[in-house]
Amino acid sequence: MASIEAFKLEVRSWIEEVLPADLRVGNRKDLPKESLGNWIQALAKRGWITPDWPTEYGGGGLDRKHTAALRAEIKAVRAPTVSSFGTSMLGPTLLEFGTEEQKLEFLPPISRHEVKWCQGYSEPGAGSDLASLQTRAVLEGDEYVINGQKIWTTGADKADWIFCLVRTDPKASKHDGISFILFPMHQPGVEVSPLKLIDGSADFSQVFFDGARAKAKDVIGPVNGGWTVAKRLLQHERSTDGGSEGGLSGAQKETLVDIVKREVGLQDGMLADPAIRQRLAAQELEAKALSLTMRRAGEEARAGQTARDIGSLGKYRWANMIKSEQDIAMTALGTQGLGWDGPGFEDTQLERTRAWLTTRADSIWGGTNEVQLNVIAKRVLKIPE
Amino acid sequence: MGLILSEDQLILRDMAKSFCDEKSPVERMRTLRDTRDAVGFSRELWKEMGELGWIGILFPEAVGGAEMGYGELGVVLAECGRVLAPEPFISTVLLGGNAVLLGGSEPLRKDLLPGVCSGDRILALAFQERGRFAPYAVETAATRDGSGYRIRGEKQFVLDGHVADQIVTVARTAGSAGDRDGLTLFVIDADAPGVSALRTEMVDGRNAARITFDNAVVDAARVLGEVDGGADILDPVFDRATIGLCSEMLGSFEEAFERTLEYLKTREQFGVKIGTFQGLRHRAAQMFGELEFARSVVYDAQSSIDDGREDVAECASGAKARCSDVANLIGGEAVQMHGGIGMTDEEEIGLFFKRLKAAEFTLGDAIYHRNRYASLRGY
């Protein structure tokens, strides 16, 4: 393998050759389709959509250092990155649990960004308590017949295939009767019904299975042993979340201070509205205190001091902080923050409205605010119930 | 220091805790208040703290100090805050002492600071002229007279001003009230002609005084910093004192919260512990969160000084803005959750409530400090 420095030079000249200028704006939703398609093809040709996968499965065969160097170079020129359920979650899981046959069948299309996957995990009755899922799969010959329902399935309406948790042994204890199975979405017996949310998005769907069919050979890992596979995949999901920087929309991300300064205006160097000035200062100080508190918890843990469990506190304060950031931006924008669509509003204003709505979920998912306070009272403060 | 206490600081904390528990339970502060003690704190205990090296933590070894930092001082102040000890750290060390340390000539430092470190000398800083904290709203005038100055004016809320040996006084030598320029700091002997002190009884039982300067004469050699440039000393003194005050408040938060938590776990109504009610559980969780956030910003503010960082002013205002709000929350909730008993003078939780309110207003409340933070951030 080439030395890191030589490799970086190679990547740089390759980027100059294949990356159109109109793509050097970061990850945006409104990128020109043709340019984006060409860029994805160029990446795929070298296996660089999944640079650290082995070449026999369509990857780039790069080690960790070369992978990191490649990603840094792509990031440096603000080229769009390509990631999907296939590349970040299913792929790594298949590499670990799949048979040789399964890897050769499913990985190369993912590495070429040709097949879109979705994740069939949550059900109406199985949210935080995922292992209580009820979707049934019954073996008939060399196929499973699947009945049940999934919810909060991201991208189900556009997906070609689903990786899905199903109950293959209803008599076993709840963690032991689950299998991890792959099957196509485009078939009779699969019906997708997008869920429109308050922010107008419909990225999540409900998926109904009424006699859907999966090949028995497409179970990943042991039959009834899917819980282990499922948990491993969730770890990949979390590491992806942790590594992402967020802010997919809006290439030039304005800070809250920028917005408030512009909308409210300065008089003698001070925000013209003293009440909004107070809120903005409080907001900045809250964000800083949150990050200091998380850092302090890390230092306490490393020093072996008796660290209090502040996970719930962090989630609770983070959710409130994110929501109030949007509230202040909306307050600064006034009725220009109420636009829903179309002319009369700048894109950044419309994005702000939607972001304000989207972030209402932050105090709901991953344990509601109320659940977090319950947890603090019980587990941290040890107040008897 | 970082965001956690070092091994040495943990040892110091344990020492300070057992010292305070043994020699200064909250009951001592109550007795000083109820007997209207002429000094208002214990000179003997203060000298013991001097012998332990706590008063001199910040000061150079050359004047009898330990040359340590705000991390160490903060540990001691927090323990004092836990037992509401009224000893004069704020007046003598954080305000007066810091003014001499940062602005004093070599002879002035050598003259004044050894006595400070040993606990023999009490200092005060006279700056405030109206109820709301406004550091440059100074009308007290200093006019040139021969080799010195004549001071005319009145100061209020001068902490420990009735027993101070020297009063560091902020007076105007140019400009008008509100101007940052034109302030000058003078070290004035409390027994100088033309200086009179009226002790004012405060809600928290601590000591403060109104000081009147009626043509008091002070020598030009007793100026701290530059004439007309006193704000350059005053600003960092206030930042450091504010951070120290927040360290003390942190200790009071901890104690008031722990006592309230204990009460929730023991008090019974309707046949159950009141801590089983979700309304109270959630509010206790909120208090815990505020306490932990306050701790983070106070430790960070202490390190901003000790590490020589450039954001001391932002940290000071950020810490005091939060601690002032937390004082309201924890103080208020502590009384509320104690119910009727919390309203009685006999129950000590009310003493914490009152001290926290006084600390909230000392050196600027949350509104003042958020405004200042906004100014420092350019909006």
Side-chain angles (χ1 to χ4, degrees), chain A residues 329-378:
Chain A
M330 287 286 284
T331 301
L333 288 165
T335 53
Q336 282 302 105
L338 298 177
W340 181 251
D341 204 357
F345 303 96
E346 291 166 24
D347 286 351
T348 53
Q349 293 173 333
L350 292 172
E351 280 172 17
R352 190 55 71 171
T353 313
R354 302 300 176 109
W356 162 68
L357 289 163
T358 305
T359 53
R360 298 309 98 176
D362 289 335
S363 50
I364 298 170
W365 66 255
T368 64
N369 270 8
E370 292 71 20
V371 166
Q372 305 301 348
L373 291 176
N374 284 343
V375 171
I376 294 169
K378 182 177 178 178

Side-chain angles (χ1 to χ4, degrees), chain B residues 5 9 12-17 19-20 46 49 52-55 57 68-83 85 89 244 247-248 251 302:
Chain B
L5 300 182
Q9 288 166 345
L12 179 61
R13 183 187 67 184
D14 291 345
M15 277 177 58
K17 190 189 283 295
F19 179 90
C20 287
W46 185 238
M49 289 178 170
L52 287 164
W54 296 350
I55 305 175
I57 284 176
M68 290 191 288
Y70 283 79
E72 286 75 27
L73 182 63
V75 161
V76 173
L77 287 169
E79 291 312 314
C80 290
R82 272 186 173 269
V83 297
F89 273 109
S247 309
E248 182 203 316
Q302 291 169 353

Side-chain angles (χ1 to χ4, degrees), chain A residues 277 284 293 296 316 374, chain B residues 282 286 292 296 375 377 379:
Chain A
R277 186 176 194 234
E284 286 209 286
T293 301
R296 182 163 63 81
Y316 170 72
N374 284 343
Chain B
H282 280 193
Q286 301 271 19
E292 289 302 310
S296 305
S375 295
R377 292 276 295 131
Y379 58 82

Side-chain angles (χ1 to χ4, degrees), chain A residues 257 261 266 269-271 274 277-282 284-290 292-293 295-296 299-300 303 305 308-310 313 316-317 369-371 373-374 376-378 380-385, chain B residues 2-6 10 257-258 261 264-265 275-276 278 281-282 284-286 288-293 295-297 299-300 311 314-315 317-318 321-322 366-368 370-371 373-375 377-379:
Chain A
V257 174
K261 268 186 182 171
L266 296 180
M270 292 191 286
L271 283 171
R277 186 176 194 234
Q278 285 277 315
R279 282 183 68 187
L280 182 59
E284 286 209 286
L285 288 168
E286 176 71 8
K288 188 177 165 195
L290 173 61
L292 285 170
T293 301
R295 228 178 76 200
R296 182 163 63 81
E299 286 185 25
E300 277 171 356
Q305 294 182 6
R308 304 219 212 190
D309 172 18
I310 58 152
L313 176 63
Y316 170 72
R317 297 295 283 251
N369 270 8
E370 292 71 20
V371 166
L373 291 176
N374 284 343
I376 294 169
K378 182 177 178 178
V380 185
L381 303 181
K382 301 194 166 36
I383 311 175
E385 282 177 295
Chain B
L3 291 169
I4 55 172
L5 300 182
S6 67
L10 287 170
F257 176 63
E258 284 167 18
L261 191 57
L264 293 179
K265 291 177 182 179
T276 58
Q278 193 182 41
R281 299 172 74 83
H282 280 193
Q286 301 271 19
F288 164 73
E290 288 296 341
L291 171 60
E292 289 302 310
F293 272 43
R295 190 193 312 284
S296 305
V297 298
Y299 286 0
D300 182 52
D311 61 342
E314 283 96 332
C315 287
S317 278
R322 179 168 298 275
I367 293 173
Y368 172 85
R370 277 195 294 267
N371 273 329
Y373 182 79
S375 295
R377 292 276 295 131
Y379 58 82

Side-chain angles (χ1 to χ4, degrees), chain B residues 308-326:
Chain B
R309 274 158 44 188
E310 309 231 312
D311 61 342
V312 172
E314 283 96 332
C315 287
S317 278
K320 189 57 168 42
R322 179 168 298 275
C323 286
S324 296
D325 282 342
V326 178

Side-chain angles (χ1 to χ4, degrees), chain A residues 10-321:
Chain A
E10 182 200 335
V11 171
R12 259 172 242 167
S13 70
W14 172 80
I15 286 176
E16 285 316 309
E17 196 182 312
V18 302
L19 180 67
D22 56 3
L23 288 184
R24 302 181 182 216
V25 290
N27 285 320
R28 293 172 56 147
K29 283 182 182 163
D30 55 352
L31 292 169
K33 278 213 172 77
E34 205 187 314
S35 295
L36 185 61
N38 291 339
W39 167 239
I40 290 173
Q41 266 194 3
L43 280 168
K45 215 168 150 186
R46 304 210 51 165
W48 284 355
I49 289 176
T50 51
D52 53 342
W53 292 7
T55 48
E56 60 265 40
Y57 309 130
L62 301 182
D63 64 14
R64 267 171 59 180
K65 277 186 179 167
H66 285 76
T67 301
L70 172 67
R71 292 200 165 124
E73 291 300 324
I74 290 175
K75 196 179 162 192
V77 294
R78 309 191 68 209
T81 52
V82 182
S83 120
S84 65
F85 283 105
T87 59
S88 61
M89 289 191 241
L90 180 60
T93 310
L94 279 174
L95 282 169
E96 187 174 343
F97 293 98
T99 62
E100 188 60 24
E101 199 184 4
Q102 289 170 332
K103 289 189 225 181
L104 285 170
E105 180 179 356
F106 293 110
L107 290 175
I110 293 174
S111 72
R112 292 192 300 267
H113 202 61
E114 286 172 359
V115 173
K116 287 197 176 70
W117 286 87
C118 65
Q119 177 185 21
Y121 268 41
S122 295
E123 297 181 5
S128 303
D129 182 15
L130 181 61
S132 66
L133 59 95
Q134 295 298 325
T135 293
R136 280 282 279 130
V138 178
L139 192 61
E140 279 184 13
D142 59 357
E143 284 189 333
Y144 280 99
V145 178
I146 297 161
N147 287 287
Q149 179 187 354
K150 296 287 173 181
I151 195 169
W152 305 121
T153 313
T154 305
D157 53 335
K158 300 186 182 71
D160 305 304
W161 280 70
I162 186 169
F163 52 91
C164 195
L165 297 181
V166 293
R167 190 158 297 284
T168 36
D169 183 358
K171 292 194 189 91
S173 72
K174 71 178 184 179
H175 293 96
D176 293 335
I178 294 169
S179 297
F180 187 105
I181 195 165
L182 316 179
F183 57 92
M185 291 289 281
H186 306 297
Q187 60 164 308
V190 175
E191 194 191 318
V192 175
S193 169
L195 280 169
K196 193 171 170 184
L197 301 187
I198 57 172
D199 64 357
S201 69
D203 298 336
F204 298 108
S205 292
Q206 296 188 80
V207 184
F208 302 92
F209 306 120
D210 181 12
R213 295 195 165 248
K215 291 190 176 125
K217 70 177 180 62
D218 291 341
V219 171
I220 307 300
V223 172
N224 295 327
W227 185 245
T228 311
V229 185
K231 279 193 302 187
R232 191 82 186 102
L233 184 134
L234 284 178
Q235 287 174 355
H236 290 300
E237 179 176 9
R238 285 187 196 122
S239 70
T240 312
D241 288 349
S244 77
E245 288 167 52
L248 272 178
S249 59
Q252 286 88 31
K253 213 177 169 200
E254 280 187 305
T255 67
L256 181 65
V257 174
D258 294 335
I259 295 169
V260 176
K261 268 186 182 171
R262 190 189 60 228
E263 299 295 332
V264 177
L266 296 180
Q267 268 171 17
D268 303 325
M270 292 191 286
L271 283 171
D273 188 310
I276 292 182
R277 186 176 194 234
Q278 285 277 315
R279 282 183 68 187
L280 182 59
Q283 178 69 28
E284 286 209 286
L285 288 168
E286 176 71 8
K288 188 177 165 195
L290 173 61
S291 103
L292 285 170
T293 301
M294 301 317 282
R295 228 178 76 200
R296 182 163 63 81
E299 286 185 25
E300 277 171 356
R302 277 192 296 282
Q305 294 182 6
T306 45
R308 304 219 212 190
D309 172 18
I310 58 152
S312 284
L313 176 63
K315 163 65 172 57
Y316 170 72
R317 297 295 283 251
W318 174 83
N320 287 351
M321 194 265 294

